[in-house]
Amino acid sequence: MLKICSVMVLVLVAGTVSAQETELAELRAQAKAAPRDAEVQAKLGFAYLAAGRWNKAERQLKATARLKGKSPEALYDVIRVKLAEGDHRASRAACVRFSKDHPDCVLADVCMARAFLVWRRASLALPYLEKVLAKDADNLEALLALGEAHRMSGQREKSEKAYRRAFLARPDDARVHLGLGRLYAVFQEPDRARESLRTALSKNPSSPEIQLELARLLQGGERLNLLQQAVAGRHGWDDAIVLLAESLLLAGKAEEAVKYGVGVLKRAKTRADAHSVVGRARLALGDLKRAEKALLRVIKLVPNDYKAALALAAVYGKTERTDEALEQYRKTADLD
């Protein structure tokens, strides 16, 4: 008989930097005052996880698991950290160990499926999810993973069906609406995507993931505000930081864009989109020498980057290299 394990829904803790730090400080104080209260300890662990503080989250959730007698649910919460980090090897290794220790728990199959999704191998995830759903048709974790697997495979109808089943199981879970929003965005239905993501945000207003996904579909001040919240709520989240830098550049705040872009490049030197925004921001500031260096780096990494190619042509023009500028503009025209 298959053992059905309950799954705790994570509540993301975000907001502005000061609010996040304040809340974390409060949770740390509560955890210190109640060292044997597993639920209090878990809240702190989930807050660290939401904030992208992976090491602290893992340590905290391991301590919580010990308080809970190393139950399958608590041990799976520890593995959530590796899954959130996007570390396929570590995720799969942890899930293999979990499966050996708890072979009759549905979370074992969900875990393996999630590890394969981190690796972007949807076809390998599907058998595990089908096994779970054959025994427990309303398993929320499996349905959410199934929706993601089908979306990853380009199966729109199957993905939407999975999310709709998840909605019937848990209509107020923000992750259901987040999944639908991502699905509609991938399949070029921006109005439906925005609607789903706004619903998701209404159910979890402090989620950095939802803030980022919705910001991708917006413009202007609302986009900038959401990105600032996402960056504040998830520590060192380069995807959100680069997009924030782009938005700041569009808003005429080139100096701030450079600051954020350079911060990303200190951690990820070959990240082309960060080089691109830094180069274009330096161009806007008139720092042509460093702009050219950054933009050439982009072209080397991604030869068909239209924005970088166009900006590089502008650099050549501003430095009175007419022939090079004309040639670069021709190359750029070929890209669009």
Side-chain angles (χ1 to χ4, degrees):
M1 181 177 179
L2 190 67
K3 180 181 178 183
I4 306 299
C5 304
S6 62
V7 180
M8 182 175 292
V9 177
L10 305 186
V11 178
L12 300 180
V13 182
T16 64
V17 172
S18 59
Q20 181 197 77
E21 292 303 326
T22 298
E23 190 158 8
L24 282 171
E26 292 173 352
L27 289 169
R28 283 193 291 265
Q30 293 171 17
K32 184 177 181 180
R36 305 301 300 173
D37 189 322
E39 296 307 319
V40 171
Q41 300 301 320
K43 286 181 181 179
L44 178 58
F46 296 147
Y48 282 138
L49 178 57
R53 300 174 185 270
W54 312 125
N55 292 335
K56 289 184 177 181
E58 188 169 28
R59 286 196 299 269
Q60 187 65 27
L61 291 171
K62 282 182 176 179
T64 302
R66 289 193 292 271
L67 289 175
K68 293 186 175 182
K70 295 187 176 181
S71 68
E73 297 85 358
L75 292 173
Y76 181 68
D77 285 338
V78 177
I79 299 173
R80 288 182 190 272
V81 179
K82 295 301 180 189
L83 295 169
E85 281 186 276
D87 186 335
H88 162 65
R89 292 183 182 276
S91 297
R92 187 164 183 268
C95 290
V96 167
R97 290 193 298 270
F98 184 86
S99 298
K100 289 180 179 178
D101 293 339
H102 304 281
D104 297 326
C105 177
V106 294
L107 286 176
D109 291 312
V110 171
C111 190
M112 290 301 299
R114 279 293 181 190
F116 282 122
L117 290 178
V118 169
W119 195 23
R120 302 195 65 79
R121 297 295 188 275
S123 62
L124 298 178
L126 288 174
Y128 291 97
L129 299 174
E130 291 166 357
K131 180 180 175 182
V132 174
L133 293 169
K135 299 292 184 179
D136 180 12
D138 296 326
N139 186 281
L140 180 65
E141 293 290 326
L143 289 171
L144 289 171
L146 183 64
E148 183 174 335
H150 284 314
R151 170 170 55 83
M152 199 176 289
S153 301
Q155 300 291 322
R156 185 198 180 287
E157 292 183 4
K158 290 182 178 180
S159 179
E160 185 172 26
K161 182 178 178 181
Y163 284 124
R164 293 299 178 191
R165 289 170 62 188
F167 174 81
L168 293 175
R170 192 78 65 81
D172 290 327
D173 194 306
R175 296 175 297 171
V176 176
H177 303 280
L178 172 60
L180 283 168
R182 284 172 168 163
L183 173 65
Y184 296 140
V186 166
F187 285 92
Q188 304 298 312
E189 299 179 62
D191 291 340
R192 297 186 74 184
R194 281 189 287 267
E195 181 182 1
S196 293
L197 291 169
R198 288 192 189 282
T199 300
L201 193 64
S202 71
K203 297 181 182 302
N204 193 351
S206 60
S207 166
E209 285 185 286
I210 300 171
Q211 290 161 352
L212 176 61
E213 294 297 337
L214 181 55
R216 293 184 195 278
L217 300 171
L218 299 175
Q219 296 180 348
E222 186 179 8
R223 172 188 172 98
L224 188 59
N225 181 54
L226 284 169
L227 288 170
Q228 288 171 331
Q229 291 180 59
V231 168
R234 175 69 61 83
H235 178 70
W237 195 11
D238 288 346
D239 288 350
I241 294 170
V242 171
L243 198 57
L244 174 59
E246 286 275 359
S247 296
L248 288 167
L249 178 57
L250 289 173
K253 301 179 180 181
E255 289 186 8
E256 290 185 57
V258 169
K259 180 185 71 174
Y260 280 109
V262 168
V264 170
L265 291 172
K266 288 179 180 178
R267 296 185 292 273
K269 297 183 184 300
T270 60
R271 182 148 184 160
D273 54 359
H275 282 291
S276 178
V277 72
V278 169
R280 287 179 284 119
R282 291 198 190 282
L283 170 61
L285 293 169
D287 187 353
L288 301 180
K289 184 176 181 179
R290 288 199 287 181
E292 182 177 349
K293 182 179 178 180
L295 294 168
L296 286 171
R297 180 65 170 154
V298 179
I299 301 301
K300 183 177 180 179
L301 291 167
V302 185
N304 62 347
D305 187 304
Y306 175 80
K307 290 180 180 179
L310 183 62
L312 183 60
V315 170
Y316 291 150
K318 287 180 178 292
T319 52
E320 299 182 355
R321 287 177 281 176
T322 306
D323 291 341
E324 290 178 78
L326 287 171
E327 179 60 25
Q328 186 61 34
Y329 276 123
R330 291 190 186 99
K331 290 179 181 179
T332 305
D334 290 339
L335 297 176
D336 188 4

